[in-house]
Every structure is written in C-alpha cells, then in structure tokens.
Amino acid sequence: MWWSKKTLPPQPPAAEPLSKAEQKRLKKKCVAPLKALQSCKRANPDLPLAYARLESRAIECYAEVLAPQQALAFKECYLQKAEEQAHPDYAANDCQTYVAAMQDALKQRGCDPLQ
C-alpha cells in the first residue's frame, strides 16, 4: 500500500485516550528510541536537525501500536526514499507528511511521545 502525499491513509475514528497502564507499556516498548532522542537533544540542544530522525523513530514506535496504518505509510515512504538517497537518514526528512500523520493519530489518542 503506497500512499502519496495527496492520499495519506485514512485517519481511524477517534479512539479512547490511553490508560496509564497502556502508556507505561508503550514507554517500555519504545525506551531505546526515547533514550536516544533525549541524549541527542542534550548533546545538540540548538540543532533540531541532528535529532529529527530520532524524533521520527520515537513517533513511529508508538504509532506501530496505536496508528498502524500511518506507521506503515511512513515506513513505506522511508524505505522508498532511502533507496533513492546516498544517506538513508535523509529519507525521514522527505517523509515529514507521514510523520505528521502519525503524530496527529497519536494526539487523537492523547499520546505524544515527544512530550
């Protein structure tokens, strides 16, 4: 399933906010990307581009569980762009529309891994 920027996957109907137990389970599942992001932010507080891919990865980790359609669309975009570029980390920059879609879906569930 490939979605272009003009045809993002449909947003699922609004779901109930996450329980504290679900939030805790997701934090545990996504601990590695969250810790990497925190470390990179501390080391590069004035360089948001230095940790943009780590932010995308943290969002994707949560979205894999809470917004699987949006996570799949991002992953497909990322893989396609990574094949086209010399440095795969730049691929995430080309897929920001999909990152925003994942983030929107997570916010609908009352969840923001970047907070």
Side-chain angles (χ1 to χ4, degrees):
M1 288 183 245
W2 174 254
W3 292 280
S4 71
K5 288 183 181 180
K6 294 180 182 179
T7 60
L8 289 173
Q11 291 287 338
E16 292 185 26
L18 292 178
S19 69
K20 295 283 186 194
E22 289 173 313
Q23 289 178 14
K24 188 175 181 179
R25 182 176 56 84
L26 273 171
K27 274 191 177 179
K28 186 175 181 180
K29 174 192 179 300
C30 300
V31 70
L34 290 172
K35 284 190 179 226
L37 175 60
Q38 290 170 350
S39 296
C40 191
K41 278 185 169 183
R42 277 194 302 273
N44 304 287
D46 299 325
L47 297 170
L49 288 177
Y51 51 83
R53 175 64 186 121
L54 294 171
E55 284 182 339
S56 298
R57 180 60 197 119
I59 292 166
E60 181 186 15
C61 185
Y62 276 70
E64 287 170 345
V65 174
L66 300 175
Q69 284 185 320
Q70 288 78 8
L72 179 62
F74 169 76
K75 189 169 290 196
E76 289 175 350
C77 175
Y78 180 81
L79 292 174
Q80 179 186 9
K81 297 298 181 182
E83 287 178 7
E84 297 170 2
Q85 298 190 8
H87 198 292
D89 283 343
Y90 297 142
N93 297 335
D94 293 338
C95 299
Q96 287 305 306
T97 303
Y98 298 96
V99 173
M102 289 189 297
Q103 212 165 6
D104 289 346
L106 294 176
K107 286 180 181 178
Q108 286 181 3
R109 296 288 311 268
C111 180
D112 186 354
L114 303 183
Q115 294 298 327

